[in-house]
Amino acid sequence: MQHLTYFENNSTAIITFSRSHALNALNSEVFAELNALLNKIEKSDHIRVVVLTGKGKAFIAGADIAEMKGKTEKEAKEFSKTGQDTFRRIENMTIPFIGAINGFALGGGLETALACDFLVASDKAKFSAPEVNLGLIPGFAGTQRLVRAIGANNARFYLFTAHMFDAYDAQRMGLVQQIVPDDELMNETMKIADLIATKGPSACKALKGVVQEGLHHGIDAGIKKENTVFGSLFNTEAKEGMLAFLEKRQAKW
């Protein structure tokens, strides 16, 4: 891997965007490496949580403008589709993804963060959708996910103005779930990942899909899927989980 680093800590996979000389900007090679790592994670029988973070002062400072500037319309659409498909893949995977936002999450970096299930941010984190400054709009589904994350009016404000907002504004709008001191970011994120790893594995895998069903297909579809999954878990780990609760012991998954 040239642009990403991969590390496993027990049942958590940590993917670090490591093009620090380019503020971890996204290009075609980064997407290829990221998809290769997603393939690896999907084949794993022990990874329970994935953490995405960045090296240096940026999480990801956007897409690589040096690569984009020479693209034709057809090539630009293909690049956009690659990003859209990659982030949709993350969104649809059964494993929860935590974004550990260590610095600038701009443009494509914000879109990467939006594909995660929730975000833990450094108190130095900054967010922006600056594409209109380049005569562009977000191309990796940011126009759709930002609206869902912070509401239509907030999203339109930041999309049209390209204003930067900090971790505290992001938390106020519901984009960020926890803010921690910069030097504690990975420690605190790993505590959350380790906590998730103690929960019922089948339940956690199913949970993401149930939430997505309601978000994308409406509450009735979500409720129907919830009912189906709730019942199915009684054939897997729920009996052990409930028995462990009654016996006041740790469940053995």
Side-chain angles (χ1 to χ4, degrees):
M1 292 283 168
Q2 183 179 356
H3 304 303
L4 302 177
T5 59
Y6 179 83
F7 176 73
E8 293 183 5
N9 181 52
N10 298 320
S11 57
T12 298
I14 303 165
I15 298 174
T16 304
F17 294 88
S18 302
R19 293 186 74 213
S20 52
H21 66 283
L23 297 179
N24 304 327
L26 300 171
N27 63 14
S28 300
E29 293 178 355
V30 172
F31 281 123
E33 290 186 12
L34 180 55
N35 276 286
L37 289 178
L38 296 180
N39 290 340
K40 177 184 177 75
I41 290 166
E42 284 183 328
K43 293 174 183 175
S44 170
D45 59 1
H46 68 279
I47 294 301
R48 300 279 309 281
V49 184
V50 180
V51 173
L52 300 183
T53 193
K55 180 181 179 181
K57 65 180 182 180
F59 173 66
I60 298 166
D64 192 334
I65 297 172
E67 180 183 90
M68 288 198 304
K69 65 180 176 61
K71 290 187 181 299
T72 64
E73 178 181 351
K74 180 176 182 293
E75 291 168 340
K77 289 173 70 175
E78 289 171 350
F79 184 57
S80 170
K81 186 70 162 53
T82 296
Q84 290 172 343
D85 289 349
T86 301
F87 296 149
R88 188 71 168 135
R89 183 181 183 187
I90 288 172
E91 194 173 53
N92 286 333
M93 286 175 69
T94 57
I95 300 170
F97 279 68
I98 306 173
I101 312 302
N102 56 296
F104 293 109
L106 314 179
L110 175 57
E111 291 174 293
T112 306
L114 287 166
C116 295
D117 292 285
F118 58 88
L119 304 180
V120 181
S122 156
D123 55 6
K124 295 182 179 179
K126 303 286 186 182
F127 302 84
S128 178
E131 287 86 354
V132 291
N133 291 335
L134 303 174
L136 291 170
I137 66 170
F140 304 146
T143 59
Q144 304 306 302
R145 291 196 181 95
L146 190 61
V147 168
R148 288 165 169 78
I150 66 174
N153 285 358
N154 284 329
R156 283 189 287 253
F157 175 78
Y158 287 107
L159 288 167
F160 279 115
T161 65
H163 280 339
M164 191 173 291
F165 53 99
D166 63 18
Y168 297 95
D169 283 331
Q171 186 179 51
R172 175 180 56 80
M173 293 185 288
L175 178 61
V176 163
Q177 282 60 61
Q178 189 167 328
I179 301 172
V180 300
D182 185 61
D183 60 357
E184 290 295 319
L185 176 63
M186 288 310 296
N187 285 339
E188 293 301 317
T189 302
M190 290 307 299
K191 287 179 184 178
I192 297 170
D194 289 343
L195 177 62
I196 293 171
T198 68
K199 311 305 180 185
S202 296
C204 286
K205 284 184 177 181
L207 186 59
K208 188 168 174 177
V210 173
V211 172
Q212 291 289 84
E213 184 74 17
L215 282 174
H216 297 295
H217 300 289
I219 189 170
D220 289 331
I223 289 172
K224 183 177 180 180
K225 188 173 182 71
E226 177 188 86
N227 178 261
T228 300
V229 170
F230 180 82
S232 71
L233 289 170
F234 279 74
N235 293 321
T236 57
E237 63 199 23
K239 286 182 169 56
E240 164 60 14
M242 290 185 286
L243 184 62
F245 175 82
L246 293 172
E247 294 178 350
K248 296 181 173 56
R249 61 173 174 81
Q250 188 72 33
K252 298 176 182 178
W253 309 118

